[in-house]
Amino acid sequence: MTPDPLPQAVPATPSMSTGAARSGPAWLIGAAIVLLALNLRSAVGSVGVVLDPIRADLGMSATVAGVLTTLPVLCFALFGATTARVVRALGLDRTAAALLVVAGVGLGLRPVFDSSIAFLALTVVALAGCAVGNVVLPALAKEHFPDRLPLISSLYGAALMGGAMLGSVLTVPIADAFGGWRIGLGAWAVLAAAALLPWLPSAARDGRAGRLDRPRGPTLLRLARSPLAWACAVFFGLQSAQAYAQFGWFPAILVDAGLESGHAGLMQGLIPAVGIPVTLLLPGLIRRTGDRPVLPWVFAIVTSAGWLGVLLAPAAAPWLWAVMLGIGGCAFTWVLTMFGRRTATAAGTAGLSAFAQSVGYLVAGLGPFGTGVLHDLTGSWDVPVVVLMCAALLLGPVGTLVARDRTLEDELD
């Protein structure tokens, strides 16, 4: 018996310029992509704000709660790497529809059971759908909007940030209005169902294409020999480590500096709130800068300056440090855009996306984990903040490698 082949990158149709026409009106596909992105962080952002009542009702230990908060990066890395086989079997648009079904099932059922194990298992189901969505988003943009990559990337990047913010902001009010955390969490399955509707026509058309008609892209093993793929993976890992460290520890740093917990929570919410409008400005900024590495250096310097402010005077101007970190967080959308700009086909885009995100999310776990370990070892936030500040500066040189004008396919050839 021959071993299973290595995972393949997500295939593309031969004609990239006709994707929107093949799958439906451009406005409908664009709306479908944005709605898909809006769902990919609800499974993450909605849990933390109701974690205490979840633990009380399910008898969840601190250890199990720690596993729950670590699941996103682990699932994003694991299931992101296995996305290609799903798309090879279903096609790109049908995969988008299927992942919304899977995510919706996980989101809708996990509040139903009175078991920590069932809650964890169904959270994994929801995150599996989100992980596949993370990988296929850049490929969907390349497939349907090859000439408008910065625009569509900025729109779905803003939707990703908006989804995380909505999950954090709306879950508690929904829970309070309708009788508890179970309704607050389960309500996000409705958003997944709504996002599924515009994908149904294109998924039906995608299903008519034969599996053998879908060309293969580069394997993950072959991508591992690409300097560009590794540059994208390291950049993605660095910016994700920053984001998850901020999500996990920024409020705690401010509280220890003397802020009230409510004020600290608002400052954390300001980070993605700032990132949304700045992300929408990225298409114009990318047009102006072209292949020059101006933007990654801006992200590096602004993020590092934000951490420097946190280090020297955390309580003096927390809103300013949050704004700086929010601007720096737009490195996320920039690198997703680069997945499309540094590849010639949707197959190459998805292969690069799968490799960079699988490796990158493993690196991302070091952000919150390492920050906590350094704090415990030193008894202070100074050392972990300095490490985060130095790590942010690495976005500049690594981003310079990503920004170089060449394509993955040319490099592999």
Side-chain angles (χ1 to χ4, degrees), residues 31-374:
I33 290 174
V34 171
L35 280 172
L36 172 63
L38 195 63
N39 278 271
L40 299 184
R41 294 295 179 271
S42 59
V44 180
S46 58
V47 171
V49 291
V50 289
L51 185 56
D52 286 342
I54 290 173
R55 290 185 61 190
D57 279 6
L58 302 184
M60 187 179 292
S61 67
T63 300
V64 174
V67 171
L68 178 63
T69 58
T70 309
L71 278 179
V73 291
L74 297 178
C75 290
F76 289 168
L78 174 63
F79 292 106
T82 62
T83 298
R85 292 187 180 184
V86 178
V87 181
R88 180 65 180 167
L90 299 181
L92 197 55
D93 291 358
R94 289 183 78 191
T95 297
L99 73 89
L100 284 166
V101 172
V102 172
V105 168
L107 289 169
L109 291 182
R110 69 177 177 177
V112 172
F113 298 94
D114 291 320
S115 164
S116 295
I117 300 303
F119 189 91
L120 287 177
L122 287 163
T123 296
V124 169
V125 172
L127 290 172
C130 296
V132 174
N134 291 336
V135 172
V136 300
L137 267 180
L140 288 166
K142 183 73 172 181
E143 168 76 0
H144 296 292
F145 300 95
D147 300 324
R148 298 180 180 179
L149 275 178
L151 174 61
I152 194 66
S153 299
S154 69
L155 290 174
Y156 74 64
L160 282 165
M161 296 179 185
M165 184 174 66
L166 289 175
S168 299
V169 171
L170 296 181
T171 300
V172 171
I174 293 172
D176 291 343
F178 294 98
W181 65 268
R182 296 179 188 272
I183 300 298
L185 286 186
W188 296 104
V190 177
L191 181 61
L196 174 64
L197 296 178
W199 282 109
L200 295 178
S202 59
R205 296 186 186 95
D206 202 18
R208 299 191 189 107
R211 178 173 177 172
L212 296 178
D213 294 333
R214 301 184 184 117
R216 292 175 178 266
T219 64
L220 296 182
L221 182 60
R222 192 177 179 206
L223 286 164
R225 302 179 185 135
S226 163
L228 171 62
W230 278 107
C232 289
V234 173
F235 189 94
F236 190 91
L238 286 171
Q239 63 81 26
S240 295
Q242 292 284 326
Y244 280 94
Q246 293 162 19
F247 182 78
W249 295 111
F250 185 64
I253 296 172
L254 297 182
V255 168
D256 284 356
L259 269 70
E260 295 181 355
S261 59
H263 190 188
L266 288 175
M267 294 301 99
Q268 180 176 349
L270 184 59
I271 295 176
V274 168
I276 292 172
V278 176
T279 289
L280 294 175
L281 296 175
L282 276 181
L285 297 173
I286 291 174
R287 280 197 303 271
R288 288 177 177 273
T289 59
D291 295 316
R292 291 172 294 169
V294 176
L295 290 177
W297 277 104
V298 169
F299 299 140
I301 293 169
V302 172
T303 304
S304 185
W307 283 123
L308 181 62
V310 172
L311 176 68
L312 299 179
W319 63 269
L320 179 58
W321 318 141
V323 166
M324 288 182 173
L325 294 176
I327 293 172
C330 294
F332 174 69
T333 305
W334 180 83
V335 73
L336 291 181
T337 305
M338 290 300 106
F339 293 162
R341 286 174 65 89
R342 297 280 79 90
T343 51
T345 65
T349 302
L352 182 58
S353 176
F355 180 84
Q357 294 198 46
S358 298
V359 175
Y361 276 119
L362 290 176
V363 176
L366 297 176
F369 178 75
T371 300
V373 169
L374 288 174

